[in-house]
Amino acid sequence: MTAIPLQPPRRLVEFTLDGAATRVPEGATLLDACRVAGKDVPTLCEGDTLTPKNACRVCVVEVEGARTLAPACSRAAEPGMSVRTDTERTRHSRRLVLELLASSVDLSTTPKAAAWIKEYEAKPGRFGADAARLNEEPKVDNDLYVRDYEKCILCYKCVDACGEQWQNTFAIAVAGRGFDARIAVEHDAPLTDSACVYCGNCIEVCPTGALSFKSEFDMRAAGTWDESAQSETTTVCAYCGVGCNLTLHVQDNEIVKVTSPHDNPVTHGNLCIKGRFGYQHVQNRD
């Protein structure tokens, strides 16, 4: 039996979270502390496999003595700090962010978005019917996945996953400025003419459904997509010897999409084109 090497101990940071003494390992973020304490702080741009970009600003909390609200996803816990997560100031900020997002972006496939809008009493409709929207048709230019930028909140997670944090393909980036900013490939060409290698790791980290499997997109359009009727089975990819874990999402005895566990030490949620999309042969019953 191989002995597991001991890791150096991490110091604990003690601070006050909503009036209660809290201890977390040194280097933990305020969002980490909130999750340990069982507090549901909303977040969209944060991802457990990516470095926070502080883009969505929904997770802001109030730190005593600070002039501005702090993003909990990236602010590290510090000894002696006093943090409040549910003050009128934080609720007002989250409500406004949700209103701005929901008035300009389709959040219908964003997990928990409807519940957050209700919880914070956000009213996106108050901006009127003329509120700026992209009104952009989904980009269906390949057989594997769809880009529906009407649902994109510019969290940059897909750019980071495609770039230096994971895939290092750099097929996509932010194009345009201001309200015209959008995620695009070079020269806004079709995906099939870009450097994309179709690993699908951008889909894995997308928080809103702006990027989705073609199978999921088609089933949603047909009204047959039903996550409550789906089962999940984690197995090992058989294409090579790396040992990547695959989670198969099955509905009506058909694989409808493939993800990968983020806590897997081999993949950390990432796959290649074969692992992510190469499941059709399993369903060939001829």
Side-chain angles (χ1 to χ4, degrees):
M1 183 175 179
T2 303
I4 300 176
L6 294 176
Q7 300 294 323
R10 296 176 66 184
R11 295 180 179 178
L12 292 179
V13 173
E14 184 170 343
F15 67 104
T16 303
L17 181 64
D18 287 335
T22 304
R23 287 185 176 182
V24 293
E26 189 176 38
T29 65
L30 295 179
L31 187 59
D32 293 332
C34 290
R35 287 171 173 167
V36 170
K39 299 182 181 297
D40 184 21
V41 174
T43 181
L44 289 171
C45 70
E46 184 266 346
D48 56 355
T49 63
L50 298 168
T51 302
K53 265 290 193 288
N54 308 327
C56 75
R57 314 302 286 190
V58 182
C59 71
V60 290
V61 295
E62 192 166 356
V63 178
E64 185 176 304
R67 181 177 61 85
T68 60
L69 297 175
C73 66
S74 61
R75 179 66 183 270
E78 300 173 7
M81 69 175 4
S82 178
V83 180
R84 295 196 175 276
T85 65
D86 197 32
T87 64
E88 179 55 35
R89 190 182 179 194
T90 59
R91 293 186 66 86
H92 176 78
S93 177
R94 293 172 189 166
R95 178 166 58 249
L96 183 59
V97 170
L98 288 169
E99 287 178 343
L100 291 172
L101 286 176
S103 68
S104 59
V105 177
D106 178 9
L107 298 182
S108 61
T109 55
T110 303
K112 296 185 177 182
W116 290 336
I117 289 173
K118 181 178 179 180
E119 177 184 353
Y120 292 100
E121 300 178 343
K123 299 177 181 178
R126 72 187 181 91
F127 294 107
D130 295 330
R133 298 188 72 90
L134 292 177
N135 295 319
E136 184 174 340
E137 292 296 320
K139 294 180 181 293
V140 187
D141 53 13
N142 66 92
D143 295 330
L144 300 182
Y145 73 94
V146 176
R147 298 175 290 161
D148 187 357
Y149 291 139
E150 181 79 1
K151 299 177 179 178
C152 178
I153 61 170
L154 291 175
C155 66
Y156 307 109
K157 291 170 73 173
C158 60
V159 176
D160 288 340
C162 183
E164 62 183 7
Q165 293 197 34
W166 284 116
Q167 190 63 26
N168 285 287
T169 298
F170 301 97
I172 55 178
V174 180
R177 295 291 185 269
F179 194 79
D180 291 329
R182 64 197 182 281
I183 306 298
V185 302
E186 189 175 6
H187 304 303
D188 205 16
L191 204 63
T192 50
D193 296 336
S194 73
C196 177
V197 296
Y198 297 95
C199 63
N201 294 330
C202 54
I203 306 174
E204 185 75 35
V205 299
C206 179
T208 65
L211 303 173
S212 65
F213 278 72
K214 179 68 162 50
S215 54
E216 178 180 347
F217 178 83
D218 290 342
M219 291 177 69
R220 286 187 183 274
T224 58
W225 181 263
D226 184 4
E227 291 187 4
S228 64
Q230 295 175 11
S231 62
E232 298 181 11
T233 302
T234 298
T235 183
V236 179
C237 182
Y239 275 106
C240 73
V242 172
C244 299
N245 276 196
L246 311 179
T247 299
L248 308 179
H249 299 249
V250 178
Q251 180 179 330
D252 297 329
N253 205 31
E254 295 280 344
I255 300 173
V256 293
K257 73 175 183 179
V258 176
T259 59
S260 181
H262 288 198
D263 59 355
N264 181 267
V266 177
T267 62
H268 298 286
N270 299 293
L271 295 171
C272 73
I273 183 175
K274 294 180 179 180
R276 183 84 61 188
F277 297 107
Y279 56 82
Q280 289 82 1
H281 68 285
V282 179
Q283 308 186 135
N284 187 352
R285 295 178 174 86
D286 297 336

Short mmCIF file of all heavy atoms in Angstrom, two decimals, residues 254-285:
data_model
loop_
_atom_site.label_atom_id
_atom_site.label_comp_id
_atom_site.label_asym_id
_atom_site.label_seq_id
_atom_site.Cartn_x
_atom_site.Cartn_y
_atom_site.Cartn_z
N GLU A 254 -31.58 7.20 -23.64
CA GLU A 254 -30.67 7.79 -24.62
C GLU A 254 -29.72 8.76 -23.90
O GLU A 254 -30.14 9.52 -23.03
CB GLU A 254 -31.45 8.57 -25.69
CG GLU A 254 -32.35 7.72 -26.57
CD GLU A 254 -31.58 7.01 -27.67
OE1 GLU A 254 -30.41 7.42 -27.92
OE2 GLU A 254 -32.12 6.07 -28.25
N ILE A 255 -28.44 8.74 -24.27
CA ILE A 255 -27.49 9.71 -23.72
C ILE A 255 -27.77 11.05 -24.36
O ILE A 255 -27.74 11.18 -25.59
CB ILE A 255 -26.04 9.28 -24.00
CG1 ILE A 255 -25.74 7.93 -23.36
CG2 ILE A 255 -25.06 10.33 -23.48
CD1 ILE A 255 -24.38 7.35 -23.73
N VAL A 256 -28.06 12.06 -23.56
CA VAL A 256 -28.40 13.37 -24.11
C VAL A 256 -27.26 14.37 -23.97
O VAL A 256 -27.22 15.36 -24.70
CB VAL A 256 -29.68 13.92 -23.44
CG1 VAL A 256 -30.88 13.08 -23.83
CG2 VAL A 256 -29.55 13.97 -21.92
N LYS A 257 -26.34 14.13 -23.04
CA LYS A 257 -25.15 14.96 -22.96
C LYS A 257 -24.15 14.30 -22.02
O LYS A 257 -24.50 13.36 -21.27
CB LYS A 257 -25.46 16.38 -22.49
CG LYS A 257 -25.81 16.54 -21.02
CD LYS A 257 -25.97 18.02 -20.68
CE LYS A 257 -26.24 18.22 -19.19
NZ LYS A 257 -26.38 19.66 -18.84
N VAL A 258 -22.91 14.78 -22.06
CA VAL A 258 -21.84 14.22 -21.23
C VAL A 258 -21.12 15.34 -20.51
O VAL A 258 -20.75 16.35 -21.12
CB VAL A 258 -20.82 13.43 -22.08
CG1 VAL A 258 -19.67 12.93 -21.22
CG2 VAL A 258 -21.49 12.26 -22.79
N THR A 259 -20.95 15.19 -19.21
CA THR A 259 -20.15 16.14 -18.42
C THR A 259 -19.03 15.36 -17.74
O THR A 259 -18.88 14.15 -17.95
CB THR A 259 -21.01 16.86 -17.38
OG1 THR A 259 -21.62 15.90 -16.49
CG2 THR A 259 -22.11 17.69 -18.06
N SER A 260 -18.26 16.04 -16.91
CA SER A 260 -17.18 15.38 -16.19
C SER A 260 -17.10 15.96 -14.78
O SER A 260 -17.25 17.18 -14.60
CB SER A 260 -15.84 15.59 -16.91
OG SER A 260 -14.79 14.92 -16.23
N PRO A 261 -16.89 15.12 -13.76
CA PRO A 261 -16.84 15.62 -12.38
C PRO A 261 -15.71 16.63 -12.18
O PRO A 261 -14.58 16.38 -12.58
CB PRO A 261 -16.59 14.34 -11.55
CG PRO A 261 -17.02 13.21 -12.43
CD PRO A 261 -16.73 13.65 -13.84
N HIS A 262 -16.04 17.75 -11.57
CA HIS A 262 -15.04 18.79 -11.36
C HIS A 262 -14.01 18.41 -10.30
O HIS A 262 -12.91 18.97 -10.26
CB HIS A 262 -15.72 20.11 -10.97
CG HIS A 262 -16.45 20.74 -12.11
ND1 HIS A 262 -16.83 22.06 -12.11
CD2 HIS A 262 -16.85 20.26 -13.31
CE1 HIS A 262 -17.46 22.35 -13.24
NE2 HIS A 262 -17.48 21.26 -13.98
N ASP A 263 -14.36 17.47 -9.43
CA ASP A 263 -13.42 17.08 -8.38
C ASP A 263 -12.54 15.91 -8.80
O ASP A 263 -11.76 15.39 -8.00
CB ASP A 263 -14.17 16.73 -7.09
CG ASP A 263 -15.16 15.59 -7.27
OD1 ASP A 263 -15.34 15.13 -8.41
OD2 ASP A 263 -15.77 15.16 -6.26
N ASN A 264 -12.65 15.47 -10.06
CA ASN A 264 -11.81 14.40 -10.54
C ASN A 264 -10.38 14.89 -10.72
O ASN A 264 -10.15 15.90 -11.40
CB ASN A 264 -12.35 13.85 -11.86
CG ASN A 264 -11.51 12.69 -12.39
OD1 ASN A 264 -10.60 12.88 -13.18
ND2 ASN A 264 -11.82 11.48 -11.95
N PRO A 265 -9.39 14.21 -10.11
CA PRO A 265 -8.00 14.71 -10.18
C PRO A 265 -7.39 14.62 -11.56
O PRO A 265 -6.35 15.25 -11.82
CB PRO A 265 -7.26 13.80 -9.18
CG PRO A 265 -8.08 12.54 -9.14
CD PRO A 265 -9.50 12.97 -9.31
N VAL A 266 -7.98 13.85 -12.47
CA VAL A 266 -7.44 13.71 -13.82
C VAL A 266 -7.94 14.82 -14.73
O VAL A 266 -7.18 15.48 -15.43
CB VAL A 266 -7.80 12.33 -14.42
CG1 VAL A 266 -7.29 12.24 -15.87
CG2 VAL A 266 -7.21 11.21 -13.58
N THR A 267 -9.26 15.04 -14.72
CA THR A 267 -9.86 15.95 -15.69
C THR A 267 -10.26 17.30 -15.13
O THR A 267 -10.32 18.28 -15.87
CB THR A 267 -11.12 15.31 -16.29
OG1 THR A 267 -12.06 15.09 -15.23
CG2 THR A 267 -10.79 13.98 -16.94
N HIS A 268 -10.59 17.37 -13.84
CA HIS A 268 -11.11 18.62 -13.25
C HIS A 268 -12.27 19.19 -14.09
O HIS A 268 -12.40 20.40 -14.24
CB HIS A 268 -10.00 19.67 -13.13
CG HIS A 268 -8.88 19.25 -12.24
ND1 HIS A 268 -8.98 19.20 -10.86
CD2 HIS A 268 -7.62 18.83 -12.53
CE1 HIS A 268 -7.83 18.77 -10.34
NE2 HIS A 268 -6.99 18.54 -11.34
N GLY A 269 -13.09 18.30 -14.62
CA GLY A 269 -14.24 18.73 -15.40
C GLY A 269 -13.98 18.90 -16.88
O GLY A 269 -14.91 19.17 -17.64
N ASN A 270 -12.73 18.75 -17.31
CA ASN A 270 -12.38 18.97 -18.71
C ASN A 270 -12.29 17.65 -19.48
O ASN A 270 -11.91 16.62 -18.93
CB ASN A 270 -11.04 19.70 -18.82
CG ASN A 270 -11.09 21.06 -18.16
OD1 ASN A 270 -11.78 21.95 -18.62
ND2 ASN A 270 -10.37 21.22 -17.06
N LEU A 271 -12.64 17.70 -20.76
CA LEU A 271 -12.59 16.53 -21.62
C LEU A 271 -12.10 16.93 -23.00
O LEU A 271 -11.98 18.12 -23.31
CB LEU A 271 -13.98 15.89 -21.75
CG LEU A 271 -14.60 15.30 -20.47
CD1 LEU A 271 -16.05 14.93 -20.72
CD2 LEU A 271 -13.80 14.08 -20.00
N CYS A 272 -11.85 15.93 -23.87
CA CYS A 272 -11.54 16.21 -25.26
C CYS A 272 -12.79 15.95 -26.09
O CYS A 272 -13.83 15.56 -25.56
CB CYS A 272 -10.38 15.33 -25.74
SG CYS A 272 -10.82 13.59 -25.97
N ILE A 273 -12.72 16.15 -27.38
CA ILE A 273 -13.88 15.99 -28.25
C ILE A 273 -14.44 14.57 -28.20
O ILE A 273 -15.66 14.37 -28.24
CB ILE A 273 -13.52 16.37 -29.70
CG1 ILE A 273 -14.74 16.28 -30.62
CG2 ILE A 273 -12.36 15.54 -30.22
CD1 ILE A 273 -14.49 16.76 -32.03
N LYS A 274 -13.57 13.57 -28.06
CA LYS A 274 -14.05 12.19 -28.03
C LYS A 274 -14.81 11.91 -26.75
O LYS A 274 -15.89 11.29 -26.77
CB LYS A 274 -12.86 11.23 -28.17
CG LYS A 274 -12.17 11.28 -29.51
CD LYS A 274 -11.01 10.30 -29.58
CE LYS A 274 -10.33 10.35 -30.93
NZ LYS A 274 -9.19 9.40 -31.02
N GLY A 275 -14.27 12.34 -25.63
CA GLY A 275 -14.95 12.10 -24.36
C GLY A 275 -16.25 12.87 -24.24
O GLY A 275 -17.25 12.35 -23.72
N ARG A 276 -16.27 14.11 -24.74
CA ARG A 276 -17.44 14.97 -24.58
C ARG A 276 -18.55 14.62 -25.58
O ARG A 276 -19.72 14.60 -25.21
CB ARG A 276 -17.02 16.43 -24.80
CG ARG A 276 -18.13 17.44 -24.58
CD ARG A 276 -18.30 17.82 -23.14
NE ARG A 276 -17.09 18.45 -22.62
CZ ARG A 276 -16.92 18.75 -21.33
NH1 ARG A 276 -17.88 18.50 -20.46
NH2 ARG A 276 -15.79 19.30 -20.91
N PHE A 277 -18.18 14.33 -26.82
CA PHE A 277 -19.19 14.19 -27.86
C PHE A 277 -19.21 12.81 -28.53
O PHE A 277 -20.12 12.53 -29.31
CB PHE A 277 -18.98 15.25 -28.94
CG PHE A 277 -19.13 16.66 -28.44
CD1 PHE A 277 -18.03 17.49 -28.28
CD2 PHE A 277 -20.38 17.18 -28.14
CE1 PHE A 277 -18.16 18.79 -27.83
CE2 PHE A 277 -20.53 18.47 -27.68
CZ PHE A 277 -19.42 19.29 -27.53
N GLY A 278 -18.22 11.98 -28.26
CA GLY A 278 -18.13 10.71 -28.99
C GLY A 278 -18.91 9.58 -28.35
O GLY A 278 -18.36 8.50 -28.11
N TYR A 279 -20.19 9.81 -28.09
CA TYR A 279 -21.00 8.77 -27.45
C TYR A 279 -22.05 8.18 -28.39
O TYR A 279 -22.80 7.28 -28.01
CB TYR A 279 -21.70 9.35 -26.22
CG TYR A 279 -22.57 10.56 -26.49
CD1 TYR A 279 -23.86 10.44 -26.99
CD2 TYR A 279 -22.08 11.85 -26.25
CE1 TYR A 279 -24.65 11.56 -27.24
CE2 TYR A 279 -22.86 12.98 -26.51
CZ TYR A 279 -24.13 12.82 -27.00
OH TYR A 279 -24.91 13.92 -27.26
N GLN A 280 -22.12 8.65 -29.63
CA GLN A 280 -23.17 8.21 -30.52
C GLN A 280 -23.10 6.71 -30.82
O GLN A 280 -24.14 6.05 -31.02
CB GLN A 280 -23.14 8.99 -31.84
CG GLN A 280 -23.59 10.45 -31.70
CD GLN A 280 -22.48 11.35 -31.19
OE1 GLN A 280 -21.37 10.88 -30.94
NE2 GLN A 280 -22.76 12.63 -31.03
N HIS A 281 -21.89 6.15 -30.85
CA HIS A 281 -21.76 4.72 -31.17
C HIS A 281 -22.44 3.86 -30.13
O HIS A 281 -22.88 2.74 -30.42
CB HIS A 281 -20.28 4.34 -31.30
CG HIS A 281 -19.52 4.39 -30.01
ND1 HIS A 281 -19.14 5.58 -29.43
CD2 HIS A 281 -19.09 3.41 -29.18
CE1 HIS A 281 -18.49 5.35 -28.30
NE2 HIS A 281 -18.45 4.03 -28.12
N VAL A 282 -22.52 4.35 -28.89
CA VAL A 282 -23.16 3.58 -27.83
C VAL A 282 -24.64 3.39 -28.12
O VAL A 282 -25.26 2.40 -27.74
CB VAL A 282 -22.99 4.30 -26.48
CG1 VAL A 282 -23.68 3.52 -25.36
CG2 VAL A 282 -21.51 4.46 -26.16
N GLN A 283 -25.21 4.35 -28.85
CA GLN A 283 -26.65 4.33 -29.10
C GLN A 283 -27.01 3.76 -30.47
O GLN A 283 -28.17 3.81 -30.87
CB GLN A 283 -27.20 5.75 -28.93
CG GLN A 283 -26.78 6.34 -27.62
CD GLN A 283 -27.38 7.67 -27.29
OE1 GLN A 283 -27.82 7.88 -26.19
NE2 GLN A 283 -27.43 8.59 -28.21
N ASN A 284 -26.01 3.24 -31.16
CA ASN A 284 -26.26 2.63 -32.47
C ASN A 284 -26.78 1.20 -32.25
O ASN A 284 -26.03 0.29 -31.91
CB ASN A 284 -24.98 2.60 -33.29
CG ASN A 284 -25.21 2.13 -34.71
OD1 ASN A 284 -26.30 1.67 -35.06
ND2 ASN A 284 -24.18 2.22 -35.54
N ARG A 285 -28.07 1.03 -32.42
CA ARG A 285 -28.69 -0.26 -32.13
C ARG A 285 -28.94 -1.09 -33.38
O ARG A 285 -29.70 -2.07 -33.37
CB ARG A 285 -30.00 -0.03 -31.37
CG ARG A 285 -29.79 0.60 -30.00
CD ARG A 285 -31.11 0.86 -29.29
NE ARG A 285 -30.90 1.33 -27.93
CZ ARG A 285 -30.70 2.60 -27.61
NH1 ARG A 285 -30.72 3.52 -28.56
NH2 ARG A 285 -30.52 2.96 -26.36
#
